[in-house]
């Protein structure tokens, strides 16, 4: 599946050109491999129920707004990035962020026209009304956390022009604690935001979480991936989509390979492109993951 083109004015500096404003994109690692979000652009109202071993999670959609999607989650990635960067610079972190939507949209590599502000508001509503229950990080089989992806969001508009003057979002404590804990976030490639397919985006996050920088990468059977994805598609259709993505092999940073194991199950291997031989056509030089973002795009609320 081809990536969409970056929006006009989306300048990605050469990876050697580091500057104080360069900020690596961060993702909260607990959310990267499990089915916390809908992978479909069509509104999803059916719940997600995931139980593997002692780990479980349940995601419920609001009948008015539908379930938060993996594209909506870009807002949470932006929040993770801002919070982590602030803490790295010695600033106190906070669950509430104030920003102008133009800056957020630019940071997640979206267009900034009027229609995109409407889509942003719709995404904020889905994140606010999607309910999650899970025992991940609950420290006990009988304990669990219950939350929404956003506790609240606000917008201030000009009474005369109707133009937005700023927004705030408040993320749940479960997500905030996952961001600030040691090893709680992973840096991801900024081209992730340009991936257009839901399964494609999810596969990249799985690859980044598990294969990471390992020399031998990581692998899952097709069935394991299907069960982890929470996809509403039939297994056969899911497998077709994954095979197509393996054939295209266009994920940032990671190359995909498919083979069959001794049980004749399809297995997908994820291997970092920089770990390949330099003569391999899929090889890519390891690059600096930072990109220039607009400074002063966020304020902390006491």
């Amino acid at each position: 599946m081809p990536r969409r083109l970056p929006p006009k004015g989306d300048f990605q500096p050469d990876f050697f050109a580091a500057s104080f404003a360069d900020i690596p994109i961060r993702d909260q690692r607990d959310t990267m491999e499990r089915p916390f979000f809908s992978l479909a652009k069509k509104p999803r109202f059916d719940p997600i129920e995931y139980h593997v071993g002692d780990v479980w999670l349940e995601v419920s959609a609001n009948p008015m707004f539908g379930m938060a999607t993996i594209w909506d989650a870009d807002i949470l990635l932006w929040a993770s990035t801002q919070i982590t960067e602030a803490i790295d610079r010695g600033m106190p972190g906070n669950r509430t962020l104030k920003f102008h939507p133009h800056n957020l949209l630019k940071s997640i590599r979206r267009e900034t026209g009027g229609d995109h502000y409407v889509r942003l508001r719709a995404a904020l509503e889905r994140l606010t009304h999607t309910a999650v229950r899970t025992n991940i990080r609950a420290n006990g089989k009988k304990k669990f956390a219950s939350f929404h992806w956003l506790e609240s969001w606000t917008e201030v508009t000009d009474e005369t022009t109707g133009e937005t003057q700023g927004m705030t979002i408040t993320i749940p404590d479960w997500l905030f604690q996952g961001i600030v804990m040691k090893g709680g976030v992973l840096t991801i490639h900024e081209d992730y935001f340009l991936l257009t397919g839901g399964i494609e985006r999810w596969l990249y996050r799985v690859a980044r979480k598990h294969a990471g920088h390992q020399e031998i990468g990581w692998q899952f059977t097709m069935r394991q991936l299907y069960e982890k994805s929470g996809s509403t598609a039939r297994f056969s259709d899911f497998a077709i989509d994954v095979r197509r993505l393996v054939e295209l092999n266009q994920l940032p940073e990671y190359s995909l390979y498919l083979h069959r194991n001794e049980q004749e199950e399809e297995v997908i291997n994820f291997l970092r492109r920089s770990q390949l031989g330099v003569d391999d056509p899929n090889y890519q030089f390891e690059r600096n993951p930072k990109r220039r973002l607009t400074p002063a795009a966020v304020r902390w609320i006491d």
Side-chain angles (χ1 to χ4, degrees):
M1 183 176 294
R3 302 180 201 174
R4 63 178 175 83
L5 295 175
K8 186 177 180 180
D10 178 80
F11 171 67
Q12 300 299 309
D14 186 275
F15 68 91
F16 290 111
S19 72
F20 185 75
D22 284 356
I23 303 176
I25 310 302
R26 276 89 165 211
D27 199 349
Q28 205 289 310
R29 64 188 308 150
D30 290 327
T31 67
M32 294 176 73
E33 63 162 320
R34 297 185 177 96
F36 279 106
F37 304 98
S38 170
L39 304 184
K41 292 182 178 179
K42 180 180 178 181
R44 174 169 179 166
F45 298 95
D46 294 334
I48 295 174
E49 295 182 353
Y50 173 85
H51 298 261
V52 175
D54 293 332
V55 175
W56 60 267
L57 68 88
E58 299 169 352
V59 184
S60 302
N62 179 280
M64 179 179 295
F65 300 104
M67 184 178 293
T69 71
I70 198 166
W71 295 273
D72 300 337
D74 288 357
I75 297 169
L76 304 180
L77 267 66
W78 174 83
S80 299
T81 299
Q82 296 292 338
I83 292 169
T84 305
E85 186 68 16
I87 293 173
D88 287 349
R89 297 187 183 191
M91 300 167 60
N94 196 296
R95 294 193 296 123
T96 299
L97 295 82
K98 183 177 181 180
F99 58 95
H100 194 283
H102 176 89
N103 292 329
L104 186 152
L105 290 170
K106 290 287 288 184
S107 297
I108 61 176
R109 308 186 73 178
R110 305 280 182 92
E111 299 287 353
T112 56
D115 183 53
H116 291 274
Y117 287 95
V118 174
R119 295 179 186 179
L120 173 60
R121 296 183 186 102
L124 292 171
E125 291 288 18
R126 285 189 292 271
L127 290 166
T128 302
H129 294 282
T130 295
V132 182
R133 298 174 72 247
T134 182
N135 69 344
I136 296 173
R137 277 193 279 114
N139 299 320
K141 293 182 180 180
K142 296 184 179 181
K143 296 181 180 180
F144 67 91
S146 181
F147 56 90
H148 295 78
W149 285 120
L150 290 180
E151 287 191 1
S152 64
W153 71 278
T154 66
E155 181 178 13
V156 177
T157 58
D158 186 286
E159 294 183 359
T160 302
T161 65
E163 294 183 355
T164 184
Q165 295 182 326
M167 289 180 167
T168 68
I169 59 172
T170 300
I171 65 172
D173 187 63
W174 184 90
L175 180 59
F176 181 76
Q177 295 302 326
I179 293 169
V180 301
M181 72 181 189
K182 184 177 181 180
V185 295
L186 293 174
T187 300
I188 67 170
H189 198 288
E190 62 270 17
D191 284 354
Y192 167 80
F193 292 129
L194 303 181
L195 298 177
T196 57
I199 294 177
E200 183 181 29
R201 281 172 156 247
W202 180 76
L203 281 177
Y204 170 80
R205 298 177 83 201
V206 170
R208 180 65 186 91
K209 167 74 180 295
H210 287 284
H213 294 268
Q214 297 187 72
E215 291 185 6
I216 60 174
W218 200 267
Q219 66 180 28
F220 286 103
T221 66
M222 187 74 77
R223 177 64 66 175
Q224 286 174 323
L225 286 175
Y226 178 68
E227 292 173 351
K228 281 178 170 289
S229 72
S231 173
T232 57
R234 296 179 303 175
F235 173 70
S236 58
D237 293 333
F238 175 86
I240 289 172
D241 287 338
V242 172
R243 292 187 202 110
R244 184 184 302 117
L245 292 171
V246 171
E247 183 177 358
L248 290 171
N249 203 9
Q250 294 180 345
L251 289 187
E253 300 184 291
Y254 295 94
S255 193
L256 305 180
Y257 302 91
L258 189 149
H259 70 277
R260 290 187 179 272
N261 60 18
E262 295 179 354
Q263 290 74 39
E264 286 300 308
E265 298 173 303
E266 287 184 301
V267 177
I268 292 83
N269 288 76
F270 303 87
L271 184 62
R272 199 168 182 90
R273 296 181 187 275
S274 60
Q275 302 287 359
L276 301 171
V278 294
D279 57 343
D280 191 305
N282 294 311
Y283 171 82
Q284 286 182 354
F285 187 81
E286 191 71 33
R287 62 184 294 281
N288 190 318
K290 297 180 180 181
R291 65 186 292 255
R292 187 182 302 277
L293 297 181
T294 304
V298 62
R299 287 177 51 202
W300 304 101
I301 307 298
D302 294 329

